[in-house]
Amino acid sequence: MQAPTKVATRTATAASGAPVTILAFAGDIASTSKEPILEAYGATDGQKLLLDFSGTEYVNSSGIAIIIQLLLDATKAGRRTVGIFGLTPHFQKVFTMVGIGKYATLSPNEAAALASL
Amino acid sequence: MKNGSAVEVTLPSELGFEKVAMSTAASMAQLMGFSPDRIEDLKTAVAEACINAIEHGNQMNDTLSVAVILSPGEDHLEIKVIDDGAGIIGQPATPDIDRKMAGEEDPRGMGIFLIQSLVDEAEWHQGPPGKSFVRLVIRLDKEKN
């Protein structure tokens, strides 16, 4: 019943000129998302990473836990600045509520996210 | 919509089916005149309550089902999510993002916090199998404040 999570990887350039990897999610972000998200994350390199939620409509607490795990891995690696964009206003509120905004910049769209890095 | 026009949805204990209850609750709230942002709050709270019932209450046992009863009142919508578990004993600690990011707390465990944060009332009742439930209430007048 859960819409499978698809993760597409692309690159962009931050306002500062630095290269940025973008992981664009589609489908549900739920318990079944762990493998596709963390595998895609593991295959990335570079200092700056953006997570694009504009292709997702359903995120639950299990999905949020996977994003926290990704942020934790990035922090442990000591090499990543992570930003998030494309969340609906509701999920932007939920991500702020659980404290993710302390560890990743939440931006409304890709342009704002690239400008924040 | 008349008061007392309750709707009951029965879900299999399989993750993903919480979206059926979520959509039904959203349709009912829309008929009652809830604002779009309150409907989004309700959708997340109902989904999380159903996930808890499927995962923890019914332990993903596919022979058990989760009942969701949506009862509209004059100024509120009440939702009961009933499972076959023993109910929640004590409330889990409020999740702490700093502890999670320090690896001192499981990244999971935010469902009850989200439910409590997004609806006006949330109560957990313990009971024998098929009688444990969470009762949620979301009020229409909150959006006027």
Side-chain angles (χ1 to χ4, degrees):
Chain A
M1 275 296 287
Q2 289 182 343
T5 309
K6 294 179 181 170
V7 186
T9 304
R10 64 178 193 274
T11 54
T13 304
S16 62
V20 180
T21 302
I22 301 177
L23 296 181
F25 304 138
D28 294 345
I29 307 297
S31 55
T32 51
S33 310
K34 188 169 186 174
E35 197 176 304
I37 288 178
L38 295 184
E39 275 187 6
Y41 167 72
T44 64
D45 54 17
Q47 291 293 315
K48 297 180 188 300
L49 178 71
L50 288 178
L51 308 178
D52 175 4
F53 283 82
S54 53
T56 64
E57 290 184 0
Y58 177 63
V59 184
N60 65 27
S61 60
S62 300
I64 293 170
I66 294 163
I67 300 305
I68 292 173
Q69 183 65 56
L70 185 157
L71 294 173
L72 180 56
D73 291 351
T75 302
K76 277 183 183 165
R79 59 188 178 88
R80 290 290 173 85
T81 303
V82 183
I84 291 172
F85 71 92
L87 289 165
T88 63
H90 171 70
F91 283 111
Q92 181 134 350
K93 177 175 80 176
V94 168
F95 275 45
T96 302
M97 214 178 256
V98 299
I100 287 181
K102 282 180 75 174
Y103 292 93
T105 307
L106 305 179
S107 304
N109 53 49
E110 183 171 334
L114 288 170
S116 75
L117 295 177
Chain B
M1 186 182 293
K2 290 177 189 170
N3 287 348
S5 306
V7 169
E8 180 166 350
V9 179
T10 304
L11 309 174
S13 295
E14 183 183 332
L15 289 173
F17 279 95
E18 74 275 7
K19 290 195 288 183
V20 175
M22 188 176 88
S23 301
T24 306
S27 299
M28 205 136 176
Q30 195 169 19
L31 283 172
M32 291 177 70
F34 280 88
S35 66
D37 58 331
R38 290 298 280 158
I39 293 174
E40 291 302 314
D41 290 347
L42 175 67
K43 284 166 66 179
T44 293
V46 168
E48 294 300 329
C50 292
I51 290 168
N52 282 343
I54 292 168
E55 277 190 332
H56 305 296
N58 288 353
Q59 305 278 315
M60 310 276 278
N61 180 339
D62 59 13
T63 66
L64 301 176
S65 54
V66 172
V68 183
I69 303 171
L70 302 131
S71 307
E74 196 169 310
D75 62 351
H76 68 275
L77 176 61
E78 179 195 82
I79 305 100
K80 281 186 183 171
V81 179
I82 306 163
D83 62 50
D84 282 83
I88 292 177
I89 302 163
Q91 294 292 307
T94 301
D96 182 332
I97 189 70
D98 296 326
R99 285 177 49 78
K100 289 180 189 298
M101 289 298 292
E104 296 167 357
E105 185 177 299
D106 191 327
R108 291 173 54 107
M110 286 169 292
I112 289 176
F113 168 73
L114 288 176
I115 292 167
Q116 289 172 325
S117 302
L118 293 170
V119 296
D120 297 305
E121 291 177 34
E123 302 165 351
W124 281 263
H125 296 261
Q126 293 173 259
K131 300 287 184 189
S132 292
F133 65 90
V134 56
R135 174 181 172 271
L136 313 179
V137 173
I138 185 163
R139 291 198 191 88
L140 261 171
D141 60 1
K142 187 169 181 183
E143 60 213 61
K144 292 176 188 167
N145 296 333

